[in-house]
Amino acid sequence: MARRLDYKDHRRELEANRYVYAVVSRRARGLSIGVNLNPDKACNFDCPYCQVDRATPGGPSRVEVADLASELEDLLRRAAGDLWTTPPFDTVAPELRRLADVAFAGDGEPTTPPEFPATARAAREARDRLAPGVPLRLLTNATLFHKDRVRTALTEFDELWCKLDAGTEQYFQIVDGTRLPFRRILDNLLLVARERPIVIQSLFLALDGAGPDEAEIAAWVERMLEIRAGGGRIDHVQVYTVARTPSDPRCGPLDGERLEAIAARARAAGLAAAVYA
Ligand code: SF4
């Protein structure tokens, strides 16, 4: 029997494509058309839980906007037509056979390439024409929101899903593998959340068997409350964990009970929170 394609099977299909892929997303609850702006696999974070295979080299860093737009248009058309009768998509569970979103989320931070604004415009135009009503999402670590070229391009997206994996500088550096200042991320989140609601996506994991301690979770909640107190709006918080093979074998998932307890801390502070175990 053919393998059923579901969210546990996150292999990318349409391998001939350079930028646009399709996965069944558990968080989007359906087919997510992904746009990868980092074919070179470069990222300004180095999260130990990252699932990008950097052992094999990536492609050129330059993004060909016209090629990307063409791949996206083709897949948007197929999602409204023959895709669901084509292997492996014909094995997707019926309730997941829906185009859930178009998401900029690939092998690195999507806002870093210089072509980000042009690709965002192209994706917005294709979505408007071929899949109106399907949300265009940006999954981002928010490191570059303070740059004008990035901030302007954010307006092309319906939703911003922003990473916040920590509450303290020290833990942030560990779980996101960066020396970029935590303050920069927090300031950027506030900057944009003052203009429009953002979604916070927080991955919590066990590192050498140990999850974040209570003080870290309290600090994480505190950082979100600071955004709110500063006039920022948080639509909701997504709490999830490692689902696939991470780059660092010290990383493992937290169990559902622990994730629920973390989400409960956010809810107790008045934030809407959902768990994706
Ligand atoms: S920000 Fe995303 S792509 Fe970059 S290292 Fe972290 S998990 Fe990987």
Side-chain angles (χ1 to χ4, degrees), residues 13 17 50 57 80 106-107 113 144 147 153-154 161 179 190-191 200 211 233 256 259 263:
E13 301 306 330
N17 281 1
C50 186
D107 291 345
L144 299 177
K147 304 273 189 193
L154 296 182
W161 290 16
R179 290 282 167 171
L190 177 59
L191 183 74
I200 295 288
R233 284 175 291 162
L259 294 176

Side-chain angles (χ1 to χ4, degrees), residues 75-93:
L75 192 48
L76 285 170
R77 283 198 183 92
R78 289 188 60 198
D82 71 343
L83 189 75
W84 304 111
T85 55
T86 307
F89 299 98
D90 58 342
T91 66
V92 171

Side-chain angles (χ1 to χ4, degrees), residues 111 116-118 120-121 124 138 144-158 160 191-192 195-196:
T111 60
F116 170 65
R121 270 195 305 278
R124 173 68 178 233
L138 173 68
L144 299 177
F145 281 2
H146 59 293
K147 304 273 189 193
D148 283 345
R149 69 171 185 89
V150 172
R151 187 128 158 254
T152 304
L154 296 182
T155 57
E156 307 289 351
F157 294 88
D158 302 303
L160 306 177
L191 183 74
V192 171
E195 296 171 350
R196 57 187 293 187

Side-chain angles (χ1 to χ4, degrees), residues 43 45-47 49-52 54 106-109 141 163:
C43 191
F45 274 11
D46 188 14
C47 308
Y49 61 76
C50 186
Q51 72 210 350
V52 176
R54 294 199 169 85
D107 291 345
E109 168 52 34
N141 62 21
K163 181 190 288 294

Side-chain angles (χ1 to χ4, degrees), residues 104-146:
F104 276 47
D107 291 345
E109 168 52 34
T111 60
T112 49
E115 298 88 356
F116 170 65
T119 55
R121 270 195 305 278
R124 173 68 178 233
E125 190 278 326
R127 190 287 310 271
D128 287 351
R129 192 159 34 86
L130 298 168
V134 171
L136 181 61
R137 293 177 171 139
L138 173 68
L139 278 61
T140 173
N141 62 21
T143 45
L144 299 177
F145 281 2
H146 59 293

